[in-house]
Amino acid sequence: MRLMGVWARGLGLCVSLAGEVRAQAGTEETRQALLQEAAAASQAGDHTRAIDCARRAAAIRMTPSLRFLLAREELAVGLPLESHNHATACVDEVRASPTLPNGDLLRTRCEGLRDEAERSLARLTVRLPSPRPPSLRVVIDGIPTDLAQLEVARVRLPGAVEVVATAEGHERFRASRTLSVGEHATVDVALRRTPSTVAAPAAPLPIRPTPRPPSYAGPWALGGVAAAGLITMAVFGGLALDAQRERDARCATESACDLVGATAADARYRDL
């Protein structure tokens, strides 16, 4: 019984694997059928049908050669941006697979499609401020954009473009441009801090006058002037007293009076 159980489980596993193989084979067969239909539609000039079949095949498995087919058909129906993206991816994938059969030829063809599509496009570079605010968010035409992809020129369709940048503590930045075919435009994101986050300048400290020591020059000056006046009065008073004494000595009596000396003494007294 145990051997029967093991055999049954093994049989079930084989049946399951066989089913997966058949499913994968069916999926690959479906992909090949879609590729044949896409090629036929392209030759018939039905590029829209060719794109539809190629995209359905790509959903099963994408390859560089399928990217080339998509890029060629998208360019034919006037989808240069999609064509450029597929052609660029084709070039990158071929370079990453050096052993790919006919890789050089496929890369050359994809490069040609890429360059042809780019002639109908514009380029936009968004330069971010340095240093970047931690909460910086950039939206281009309403679509959030990875900041790591903004420092290089990105192809886009010509026409109006709007760049909006926001960051916590900063005013909202918005710039609108109208790009022409072949133009390479640059938008510099400039963020200004909101008034509430700008630190107000510190109020200047009040200037206090330096205290000066009391001056005694006034009282001393007045005292000096008064003293000088007293000294002058004493000198002149003394001189006048000497002149009076000399006059009195020269004329002690009326009979013995030196008129000349008395007169001179009187003159000295008057001059004082």
Side-chain angles (χ1 to χ4, degrees):
M1 293 295 294
R2 182 177 298 177
L3 292 176
M4 289 294 293
V6 173
W7 178 82
R9 287 195 297 271
L11 180 60
L13 178 60
C14 292
V15 171
S16 176
L17 291 176
E20 291 181 5
V21 170
R22 284 196 301 270
Q24 291 176 359
T27 302
E28 189 61 29
E29 289 176 358
T30 302
R31 181 178 181 276
Q32 290 299 325
L34 289 170
L35 291 176
Q36 292 175 5
E37 188 175 351
S42 177
Q43 291 179 358
D46 190 356
H47 303 291
T48 302
R49 176 63 179 169
I51 292 173
D52 179 65
C53 293
R55 288 178 177 175
R56 289 165 61 189
I60 299 173
R61 184 168 59 89
M62 177 66 83
T63 61
S65 59
L66 184 50
R67 290 192 184 277
F68 167 76
L69 175 60
L70 281 167
R72 185 185 66 190
E73 299 304 308
E74 288 166 343
L75 189 60
V77 297
L79 298 175
L81 183 59
E82 292 82 351
S83 175
H84 184 278
N85 292 339
H86 277 123
T88 301
C90 171
V91 173
D92 295 338
E93 290 175 3
V94 171
R95 287 176 177 172
S97 304
T99 60
L100 185 68
N102 300 320
D104 292 339
L105 177 60
L106 182 58
R107 187 189 72 249
T108 301
R109 290 180 176 178
C110 287
E111 288 174 344
L113 284 174
R114 179 197 61 192
D115 296 342
E116 184 178 354
E118 189 169 341
R119 286 193 285 269
S120 301
L121 300 172
R123 282 184 174 269
L124 176 67
T125 301
V126 178
R127 292 193 295 202
L128 304 177
S130 180
R132 300 180 189 176
S135 58
L136 178 62
R137 183 172 180 265
V138 177
V139 177
I140 299 178
D141 290 338
I143 301 175
T145 307
D146 184 5
L147 300 183
Q149 300 178 1
L150 293 179
E151 296 293 345
V152 296
R154 302 179 62 191
V155 294
R156 60 175 297 109
L157 291 173
V161 58
E162 182 184 62
V163 179
V164 176
T166 57
E168 184 178 354
H170 294 77
E171 296 179 356
R172 181 173 178 265
F173 171 85
R174 178 181 177 275
S176 298
R177 294 283 186 88
T178 300
L179 306 181
S180 57
V181 175
E183 181 182 0
H184 184 180
T186 301
V187 173
D188 292 313
V189 175
L191 296 176
R192 297 181 179 179
R193 290 187 175 273
T194 54
S196 59
T197 61
V198 178
L205 296 176
I207 300 177
R208 297 180 179 178
T210 303
R212 296 181 179 180
S215 175
Y216 301 98
W220 281 108
L222 293 177
V225 171
L230 293 175
I231 294 173
T232 302
M233 292 177 59
V235 170
F236 280 95
L239 291 176
L241 184 59
D242 290 344
Q244 185 178 3
R245 288 175 179 174
E246 182 180 355
R247 184 196 61 182
D248 294 341
R250 291 183 180 274
C251 292
T253 62
E254 293 182 0
S255 58
C257 179
D258 182 1
L259 293 177
V260 176
T263 301
D266 287 339
R268 288 176 55 194
Y269 180 77
R270 286 195 302 269
D271 291 339
L272 296 175

